Amino acid sequence: MSMDERETLPNDEPNTATPVTDAGDSRLLPILPMSELVLFPRLIIPLALWEESAQRLIDETLLKDKIIGILTSRQPATEVYTIDNLYPVGTAAVILKMGKTQEGAVRLLVQGLYRFRVEEIVDTEPYLQARVTPIPESYEADLEIDGMVAGLKGLFQKMSELSPYLPTELGAMVQELDDPRVLADVAGGSLNVAKAEKQDLLETIDVKERLRKVLRLINREIEILELGKQIQANVKTEMDKAQKDYYIREQIKALQKELGETDERSQEIADLQNRLLEAELPEAAFKEAERELNRLSRIPPTSPDHQVIRNYLEWMIELPWSVSTEDRLDLAEARRILDEDHYNLEKVKKRILEFLAVRKLKPDMKGSILCFVGPPGTGKTSLGKSIARALGRKFVRLSLGGVRDEAEIRGHRRTYVGAMPGRIIQSIRRAGSNNPVFILDEVDKIGTDFRGDPASALLEVLDPEQNSSFSDHYLEVGFDLSKVMFITTANMLDTIPPALRDRMEVLQLPGYTEEEKVQIAFDYLLPRQLEAHGLRPEQLTITPEAMRLVVADYTREAGLRNLEREVAALCRGVAREVAEGLLTSKTITAADVPTYLGPAKFFRETALDHPEPGVATGLAWTPVGGEILFIEALKMPGSSKLKLTGQIGEVMRESVDAALSYIRARAPYIGVEEDFFKDTDIHVHVPSGAIPKDGPSAGVAMLTALVSLFSDRPVKKGLAMTGEITLRGRVLPVGGIKDKVLAAHRAGIKEVILPAQNAKDLEDIPANVKEELQFHFVERMDEVLEIAFGRTEAPTMAKVAAA
């Protein structure tokens, strides 16, 4: 890679500094640690630096004298360098040229100046700085040195002719050197020897002894090169690639045998083999891993496939094929943990305890796949953590929101550069066991594009009949996911593909009631926020009335996130007053809440104090809970036109049409004049016009409001209703009963009309709410009108039908 044009130093000529001949005073140098490189004085070498601290060192040095100190590490690369893991003798170097690459690395050309010895490490941040003392290099010329210089030149020339890694120009340059110090450093620095041997040469200050060591190393290198040449002569020259690879390995073995060195590559293969045996892989996975290990043993380390196979084997070894955590099957303890972490949610807790009970009776049962569906902030993800804690299992979480690539689930095939397993397998390895509690968060927000459909890839993962042999594209062998307890979370079911939804057991987590939120705030949110803001429980107390005001007027949500933010705001306000010394403790009452949180943010609809003709109270469901909904109808002279406003949807418009047709057909029997629609325009409006509304559940309220308008009778005070209507006057069941009833209770409603088929839904309603409300279950509209207006003199529909 070439250096870019942003060069810091204009001159390309190497520094021609002479050897240091006297110690001089100690000096402070920035230190650049190197894991393998040993730099000698007078040598010019290129460097590539990636670390941020090293780049900062270079930037600051260039603004000064451009001199740095280079020390070699005793160990491989490490994050922290100290005087204990660095050699004490290094080389001062001058920066000749600096450039930056497009990848973010800094490329340097440096030349060694003189040896130095480290006296002490002065600083380690932002980079190493040390106080060093230059080492003098002096010698007295004699015949022995002259003889060693001549012999070294001749041997170096011979080595350069045999060696494939030394340029011929270097051999010619060495012949021109006369200074024994320079000659020993240039020749020694050019040798292909171990780091420790080069460092020994650097630390050899006596010039005569340094020449002797260099001569010994050159002689050994020549013997190795000649042996290689001899081996080469004994092997036929024409061979295919496989024979060539084998020949090179035999060469290496022969050289290592002659040198008495350990075969590190064979040791590496043996280590991988032992780790494979210890991992206890299934038979199919072990065969595949063993096959790849055999390939690795035949491929040279320089081959691109070497690292690919090595990475694959590491993944195979590190996956928890046979590592499982033992389930905690104490149902009482599990119940205690679930109650400690979450308030209410009885259905979910019951299902978890049932799972534990079955697991206790049948230890080899397959993992279950649950789907928690509910509004944001209702505790779906945190419930998964509690389940893992109750079971004594590891916990992993994978967010699927916005995932569009199938490879995120199944991984990439190894033919791709940088291929990795999918996030399912990655999470299993991170968990360290093959039976964790695995949360797949936001499963309803998976996307699809040209790269595939991740939701379809999840079909195998979430199918208990198939996931015992889940196939990841990277591993290409089956991994058993049947022991994993998968839990998915979603805010709505509509966007989950039917095939995927069919594989999951759906558990609804409805929004919390106002009383539940108050209780949760005191039991969970307030203690957590007190700790987060450094307050003790005695320093801040909130009255139940104040907390109820915060829930009602400052939040509008089914979950608890905004409520926790408002509680945190109260804690922050008190914490500030305590920190400023204005008070030592505070009890927040309902009157104090606006002081800390400002004016109320939301206003709830309440029951009408004085009902008027043409107005009925309906019940609506929203993602943040139920609401009461007023249906207003008005008539005026006109030409039998119907006008609908309030941003209502197509289904609600059809409900108005059905109600109007029903009234026109049954007018004499419900206390309405037959020609009520003649020369009259009707306007139906649903307040809160900025909010879109739709659905069939307002049909009963629409019809009641129109009958109230045309018969000039107000609807019974304190009455709300919900239900879908048909043209024949039947009342059909609707959803969201719990939220709607709770909304009616909050608004001060006393009586609620519900479809008869929704009577079963009352079991989810808190007991205190059921005690304070009167419920009317109806099957036909004439029952609704009788409850809303009392009996009329006109015959009922039942009597008409009987006649």
Side-chain angles (χ1 to χ4, degrees), residues 332-361:
E333 177 65 11
R335 177 74 197 205
R336 185 193 66 78
I337 292 173
L338 292 172
D339 288 341
E340 179 182 295
D341 291 346
H342 288 84
Y343 180 80
N344 204 347
L345 301 179
E346 290 301 323
K347 284 189 175 181
V348 179
K349 292 176 182 177
K350 176 174 174 287
R351 180 63 183 85
I352 300 307
L353 294 175
E354 289 172 351
F355 171 82
L356 277 177
V358 177
R359 180 81 176 175
K360 190 173 184 178
L361 300 176

Side-chain angles (χ1 to χ4, degrees), residues 202-213:
L202 184 67
E203 294 181 5
T204 303
I205 308 304
D206 184 79
V207 177
K208 191 178 293 186
E209 180 62 24
R210 197 189 312 163
L211 287 169
R212 290 194 188 98
K213 290 182 178 181

Side-chain angles (χ1 to χ4, degrees), residues 46-79:
L47 296 176
L49 305 178
W50 294 87
E51 296 82 6
E52 183 179 348
S53 60
Q55 294 182 7
R56 181 170 177 180
L57 180 152
I58 298 304
D59 290 340
E60 294 186 9
T61 302
L62 288 173
L63 299 176
K64 300 176 184 177
D65 55 3
K66 305 171 189 171
I67 305 296
I68 61 174
I70 295 181
L71 285 177
T72 306
S73 172
R74 298 178 187 271
Q75 305 166 350
T78 180
E79 294 183 1

Side-chain angles (χ1 to χ4, degrees), residues 607-628:
L608 294 174
D609 292 329
H610 304 287
E612 303 175 15
V615 181
T617 305
L619 297 173
W621 178 91
T622 72
V624 296
E627 293 287 344
I628 67 169

Side-chain angles (χ1 to χ4, degrees), residues 26-28 117-122 129-133:
S26 63
R27 62 196 67 177
L28 193 65
R117 186 178 303 278
V118 176
E119 301 299 335
E120 63 174 335
I121 299 294
V122 176
Q129 294 189 74
R131 187 164 300 282
V132 305
T133 302

Side-chain angles (χ1 to χ4, degrees), residues 119-281:
E119 301 299 335
E120 63 174 335
I121 299 294
V122 176
D123 202 357
T124 59
E125 295 291 337
Y127 49 79
L128 276 178
Q129 294 189 74
R131 187 164 300 282
V132 305
T133 302
I135 300 174
E137 296 182 57
S138 59
Y139 75 100
E140 293 182 3
D142 58 23
L143 291 176
E144 185 180 2
I145 288 181
D146 292 341
M148 284 192 289
V149 167
L152 193 153
K153 289 182 178 181
L155 289 173
F156 194 92
Q157 181 64 35
K158 182 178 180 180
M159 183 182 69
S160 65
E161 292 172 357
L162 291 171
S163 174
Y165 64 84
L166 289 178
T168 55
E169 296 84 0
L170 182 60
M173 186 190 77
V174 167
Q175 302 304 315
E176 302 295 323
L177 298 176
D178 294 322
D179 190 324
R181 298 169 296 180
V182 178
L183 180 63
D185 287 343
V186 172
S190 304
L191 291 173
N192 185 23
V193 296
K195 173 177 68 174
E197 292 177 310
K198 282 194 174 185
Q199 182 66 29
D200 181 56
L201 285 178
L202 184 67
E203 294 181 5
T204 303
I205 308 304
D206 184 79
V207 177
K208 191 178 293 186
E209 180 62 24
R210 197 189 312 163
L211 287 169
R212 290 194 188 98
K213 290 182 178 181
V214 172
L215 284 168
R216 282 198 298 270
L217 290 173
I218 291 178
N219 274 312
R220 189 183 74 178
E221 188 73 3
I222 290 174
E223 288 180 11
I224 295 172
L225 293 170
E226 287 179 340
L227 180 60
K229 188 175 182 181
Q230 182 181 354
I231 295 172
Q232 212 168 23
N234 296 331
V235 181
K236 61 182 181 179
T237 56
E238 294 183 1
M239 62 186 77
D240 57 20
K241 186 177 185 302
Q243 290 173 316
K244 182 179 179 182
D245 292 344
Y246 176 80
Y247 159 68
I248 292 173
R249 286 194 297 273
E250 290 302 311
Q251 270 193 320
I252 295 172
K253 290 179 181 178
L255 291 173
Q256 291 173 336
K257 185 176 180 180
E258 288 292 331
L259 295 173
E261 296 179 353
T262 304
D263 185 356
E264 294 182 2
R265 180 163 169 73
S266 299
Q267 184 63 42
E268 176 190 12
I269 299 298
D271 290 343
L272 287 172
Q273 181 71 42
N274 292 334
R275 291 172 63 194
L276 273 177
L277 293 172
E278 294 172 359
E280 299 181 15
L281 277 68

